[in-house]
Amino acid sequence: MDDPKSTPWRDGIAAGLGCGLAAGILVALVDVIATAGSAPGGLGFAPSLVALWLLPSLIVGGYAGVVAGAIKAQWGDRAVGRAFARLRADDDLDRAVAAALVAGVIAAVPVIFWVKKAAIPLVATPERKNVGALLLGVATVGLLPVLGLLAIPIYRVARRAMQIVPRLGPIPRVLVLVLGAIALVIAAALYVVFNMLDWRALNLRAYAMLGALPALAVAFAWLAYGPLARVREKLPARGVITAVAAIGSVALAALMLNRVPSDATLTAVMDHSMGGAKLVGVGRAFVDRDGDGYSPFFGGPDCDDHDKEIHPGAKDVPNDGIDNDCTGGDRVKSVEITTDQNVQPPPPTAPKHAYNVVFIMIDTLRGDRLGAAGYTRDGKSLTPRLDAFIKQSVWFARAYSQAPNTPRSMPSMMTSRYPSQVAIDHDKTDYPKNGNYPRLDDANDMLFESLRAAGLHTAGQASHFYFCHDEECPASRVHPNFLQGFDEFDDDGALDIAGSNHDTAAPRIVPRVTAQLAALAKAKQPFALFVHLFEPHSTYMEHDGWPITEHGTAALAQKYDYEIAFEDGFIGQILDAIDKEGLAKDTIVVLVSDHGEAFGAHRIAGQDLFFHGQSLYDELIHVPVIVRAPDVAPREVDQVVQVIDVAPTILDLLGQAPPKAWKGRTLLPLLKGEPQAPRPAFAELLPAPEWDHEGKSMISADGKWHLFFRQSDNKYELYDMTADHDEQHDLFEEKADVAATMKKQLGEWIDALGDD
């Protein structure tokens, strides 16, 4: 019987909010307990983290309350229970409702494919994407009546098919279908995550916690109106309690989230909690008053959310009294900034040399994994051929990449410019499908263009999607326009992105390299040959002779190491071919990597960092740079250098002046054993569709300190690279004098990035 004194809407909303808030409090407590186990600084973060969880709890509870109130108002109290009782009692009705659900799902499938197909031309292509999104919405709504009519014949067929779906005792087949569908979706999602994705790179805990919120709300509702119904009914003033809890939740959120959190709270919530980073990200997406793409929410990086010309991505105008780029102060225009990175080296005076160049780029090779750097596994070096090559070369043991991922580091390397300075052809970059791989503009001055202009025949060997020829590249592939300056480039056998990540390409690339070296030696024409080897990149493949004996994260590191060992043999084959063809005495051989790999040493946005492209810690930007040049004595250089210095160094060895647009400097004095003024090394983390975070990094000129500015979190971290090479102890507050000096230098460099 319905309660004649009940108010359906009020009771329904109170019930929904109560269950939603109960679920939110439980999830928040679990997150607080989990975070307290790893975050330093006590429980000061707890009120902020609880407030973050209460906001979605109010949304879930409010939605559930409105639905519950509408059901109560339309069909009376305990309508859901009566509906299930009818389904249990009326088998024909049970089959009819189950068939209707199946028909609706089947008819909705074309909508999914329609949106997938139409999203690119309607949303990604138009200049005004909001207009495209509106068109997509209108077109989709227009499609719904057609699909609704399609559902009628599907329903007729499905009703017959429902006879084979069993009823599990008192559980109607409708509930069996719903639970089965949920289980199937979860199983499919888990299969994709664990078999088709690098699941360790996903913040699965955050998604699990967010999914638990509505699930727990439903569970609380079932308990409150099922087994514990009598207990619920005995509670006095349930509506008042719920109202007070809701008002208290809003007040706590307003108090804790409307101010800048302490550094300890920011670190705990953003890096150590299970769901905090995701919740803050959603909050920042909604709190952007000036629409500039940056937010001040929870210590966000926007220092003025009422002026769209002021944000971290803006160019600071010198001497205008305004901190346009939110770096902490107005830029003072000077002839030469402290970091000295903007001063171009004088043109070389040496005569042109008829040298060849072999440029070997090893993807994802950490600088500390070389045997020459002291690294061993199974009691021996993984890189005997590279170690032997180092003994013949100049090894820059403290070289730093300018970006933590290939599509930013490789262009930076080849244009001798910092990643944000590389010209991008935004009109032809295919967002969002290939937004992680921006297309290079033809205006860039790339290394192999300069080598070709110097009279060298330029060639390349690779087998990877990133080096696709425009005229041959399928529409489904990325088009980075990386091959500027090459007379020929063989990318035969390249697969798409997913295929490349599971590919072992060196066995088909290196025979082509050795054959081309033989042909180039016979041609007697100076040449420049680019070789890209991919193996150390995830997903790591297993190889005969290298059995994996570890488990978990340790197994990842072991697979990675064995990929390096596997690659080392193929590098040796290239070096042997150079010697065999009599090219060594006239050939500059350069070996460099674009970035490293992480393996869980750090955590950002609640996510353990196992791979690359997500931070600027040492494990991702410290890479090997090795140069063997005729008449240059082997040596180890311990001075800090940048990968953007490699291109001008090669031109200097050839007696060629670098393009004026290049920002790196020649390292020829260091190659010769002569002194050269030390400089800091800088790096950038630029946002991408799959990881929308920004950062800047500075290694001090003496190599002792590393300042990491996490722009997206408005947070600085400082590490002592001598005492804490793994960067586990942030000294930004403790070493305030060092931090202030480096912060000033980093700010000057950021300001100068826009100068050209």
Side-chain angles (χ1 to χ4, degrees):
M1 294 291 292
D2 293 347
D3 183 357
K5 296 182 180 180
S6 68
T7 305
W9 281 103
R10 185 187 65 193
D11 291 352
I13 291 174
L17 278 174
C19 293
L21 286 171
I25 292 171
L26 179 58
V27 170
L29 289 176
V30 170
D31 205 357
V32 166
I33 293 170
T35 304
S38 60
L43 291 173
F45 68 90
S48 295
L49 185 56
V50 171
L52 283 167
W53 276 112
L54 288 177
L55 286 178
S57 301
L58 287 169
I59 295 173
V60 170
Y63 175 81
V66 170
V67 172
I71 292 174
K72 280 176 170 287
Q74 181 65 36
W75 291 291
D77 203 17
R78 298 186 179 88
V80 175
R82 292 200 304 271
F84 276 104
R86 282 195 61 191
L87 290 173
R88 286 195 297 267
D90 190 339
D91 184 69
D92 189 60
L93 177 63
D94 188 19
R95 283 194 298 115
V97 175
L101 289 175
V102 171
V105 170
I106 294 174
V109 170
V111 177
I112 298 173
F113 286 97
W114 156 256
V115 172
K116 176 181 180 296
K117 195 73 174 177
I120 296 298
L122 289 179
V123 179
T125 303
E127 184 175 345
R128 293 181 61 84
K129 292 178 172 53
N130 56 340
V131 175
L134 180 61
L135 288 173
L136 178 61
V138 171
T140 302
V141 170
L143 184 65
L144 292 179
V146 177
L147 297 176
L149 293 174
L150 177 64
I152 296 174
I154 297 175
Y155 166 77
R156 300 296 298 177
V157 175
R159 182 159 179 164
R160 291 179 176 272
M162 286 305 101
Q163 294 179 0
I164 65 174
V165 178
R167 294 162 63 95
L168 300 180
I171 302 176
R173 60 172 57 85
V174 170
L175 189 57
V176 172
L177 280 176
V178 171
L179 295 177
I182 293 173
L184 185 62
V185 169
I186 293 174
L190 292 176
Y191 177 83
V192 170
V193 166
F194 288 105
N195 291 279
M196 302 176 67
L197 301 175
D198 287 324
W199 59 270
R200 294 172 185 85
L202 303 174
N203 190 359
L204 296 181
R205 292 177 301 181
Y207 293 114
M209 295 285 281
L210 290 169
L213 193 58
L216 284 172
V218 171
F220 279 126
W222 174 75
L223 287 171
Y225 288 87
L228 301 180
R230 291 185 178 181
V231 176
R232 174 184 60 82
E233 291 169 354
K234 291 180 180 180
L235 290 176
R238 298 189 300 273
V240 174
I241 294 173
T242 301
V244 170
I247 294 171
S249 299
V250 173
L252 181 65
L255 178 65
M256 302 307 302
L257 306 181
N258 235 355
R259 60 183 183 179
V260 178
S262 68
D263 190 66
T265 295
L266 189 67
T267 299
V269 171
M270 296 299 294
D271 294 346
H272 293 274
S273 71
M274 292 190 283
K278 289 290 182 186
L279 296 172
V280 170
V282 173
R284 289 177 179 172
F286 278 95
V287 181
D288 182 12
R289 301 176 186 89
D290 55 13
D292 60 6
Y294 295 86
S295 170
F297 180 77
F298 203 70
D302 196 343
C303 55
D304 187 344
D305 203 31
H306 299 283
D307 189 337
K308 64 180 180 180
E309 302 300 326
I310 299 177
H311 56 78
K315 181 179 178 181
D316 202 13
V317 179
N319 304 319
D320 67 346
I322 301 173
D323 181 17
N324 304 85
D325 60 359
C326 298
T327 56
D330 182 32
R331 177 185 180 189
V332 178
K333 184 70 173 179
S334 60
V335 176
E336 180 177 321
I337 65 172
T338 307
T339 59
D340 193 36
Q341 66 90 23
N342 215 27
V343 179
Q344 292 292 325
T349 57
K352 178 180 178 180
H353 302 292
Y355 290 149
N356 309 305
V357 177
V358 175
F359 191 113
I360 305 173
M361 214 296 290
I362 312 298
D363 211 305
T364 324
L365 178 58
R366 284 172 57 142
D368 62 0
R369 279 308 201 261
L370 304 176
Y375 189 81
T376 60
R377 181 180 281 276
D378 307 324
K380 59 184 179 181
S381 168
L382 297 167
T383 56
R385 294 307 308 267
L386 276 175
D387 298 342
F389 177 60
I390 284 173
K391 292 180 180 179
Q392 305 168 346
S393 310
V394 177
W395 172 34
F396 294 93
R398 306 186 81 169
Y400 291 90
S401 173
Q402 276 52 75
N405 56 352
T406 298
R408 295 299 188 178
S409 179
M410 288 278 285
S412 172
M413 180 190 306
M414 289 298 172
T415 62
S416 189
R417 292 172 68 81
Y418 295 101
S420 63
Q421 295 177 321
V422 176
I424 301 301
D425 187 347
H426 293 285
D427 292 335
K428 294 182 180 179
T429 294
D430 191 3
Y431 285 97
K433 181 173 63 175
N434 295 324
N436 293 308
Y437 300 91
R439 180 181 175 83
L440 304 183
D441 195 283
D442 291 337
N444 289 298
D445 294 311
M446 300 187 72
L447 171 61
F448 275 75
E449 289 181 298
S450 293
L451 294 175
R452 184 167 62 182
L456 280 69
H457 175 78
T458 54
Q461 289 286 351
S463 188
H464 188 263
F465 68 85
Y466 191 69
F467 305 101
C468 204
H469 294 265
D470 268 0
E471 61 273 14
E472 300 174 3
C473 198
S476 60
R477 297 265 289 277
V478 300
H479 297 72
N481 194 29
F482 185 82
L483 305 187
Q484 300 172 49
F486 285 96
D487 293 315
E488 56 175 318
F489 200 106
D490 188 350
D491 194 40
D492 187 55
L495 305 175
D496 60 12
I497 294 176
S500 289
N501 287 342
H502 293 80
D503 190 19
T504 299
R508 64 175 178 272
I509 296 173
V510 172
R512 301 199 313 246
V513 173
T514 57
Q516 187 160 33
L517 285 169
L520 291 168
K522 291 179 182 178
K524 304 295 184 182
Q525 178 187 358
F527 66 86
L529 176 62
F530 172 85
V531 181
H532 174 262
L533 298 176
F534 185 68
E535 270 63 34
H537 192 287
S538 64
T539 301
Y540 318 119
M541 298 292 100
E542 298 182 31
H543 304 287
D544 292 340
W546 303 97
I548 305 303
T549 58
E550 303 284 358
H551 302 280
T553 303
L556 282 178
Q558 186 181 33
K559 289 179 181 179
Y560 171 77
D561 284 355
Y562 288 168
E563 284 271 51
I564 294 172
F566 177 78
E567 194 85 284
D568 184 70
F570 286 96
I571 296 169
Q573 292 182 32
I574 297 173
L575 298 173
D576 289 344
I578 292 172
D579 292 338
K580 177 184 175 183
E581 303 302 334
L583 295 169
K585 66 182 184 301
D586 297 314
T587 300
I588 301 164
V589 182
V590 177
L591 190 142
V592 65
S593 182
D594 54 347
H595 58 79
E597 201 76 305
F599 300 115
H602 294 95
R603 200 177 188 193
I604 286 180
Q607 183 167 319
D608 293 321
L609 307 181
F610 284 97
F611 301 105
H612 55 265
Q614 298 171 303
S615 79
L616 293 173
Y617 293 112
D618 183 79
E619 63 262 21
L620 293 192
I621 59 174
H622 178 210
V623 296
V625 170
I626 309 166
V627 180
R628 187 179 75 183
D631 303 320
V632 174
R635 61 175 50 85
E636 178 182 341
V637 175
D638 198 42
Q639 190 164 316
V640 171
V641 300
Q642 303 181 99
V643 170
I644 59 170
D645 298 333
V646 171
T649 302
I650 293 173
L651 288 191
D652 203 356
L653 284 166
L654 296 172
Q656 301 294 317
K660 292 182 179 180
W662 286 10
K663 300 298 181 182
R665 65 171 178 172
T666 178
L667 301 177
L668 190 56
L670 296 179
L671 282 173
K672 294 179 177 180
E674 300 171 356
Q676 188 173 31
R679 287 186 181 179
F682 298 95
E684 293 186 275
L685 172 66
L686 298 182
E690 292 184 0
W691 185 252
D692 191 18
H693 294 259
E694 291 183 76
K696 299 290 190 290
S697 164
M698 175 184 172
I699 302 291
S700 61
D702 61 6
K704 178 174 175 58
W705 299 101
H706 181 195
L707 183 68
F708 179 14
F709 176 28
R710 291 169 49 180
Q711 284 177 284
S712 297
D713 298 324
N714 198 24
K715 183 178 186 294
Y716 288 87
E717 297 175 1
L718 179 69
Y719 297 99
D720 184 340
M721 300 302 293
T722 303
D724 180 25
H725 180 73
D726 293 332
E727 299 177 312
Q728 296 298 306
H729 306 287
D730 179 10
L731 302 176
F732 185 77
E733 294 184 354
E734 183 177 335
K735 298 290 184 180
D737 53 341
V738 176
T741 300
M742 291 192 68
K743 183 178 177 181
K744 180 177 182 294
Q745 291 180 319
L746 182 63
E748 291 174 340
W749 174 75
I750 293 172
D751 287 339
L753 281 172
D755 294 341
D756 208 339

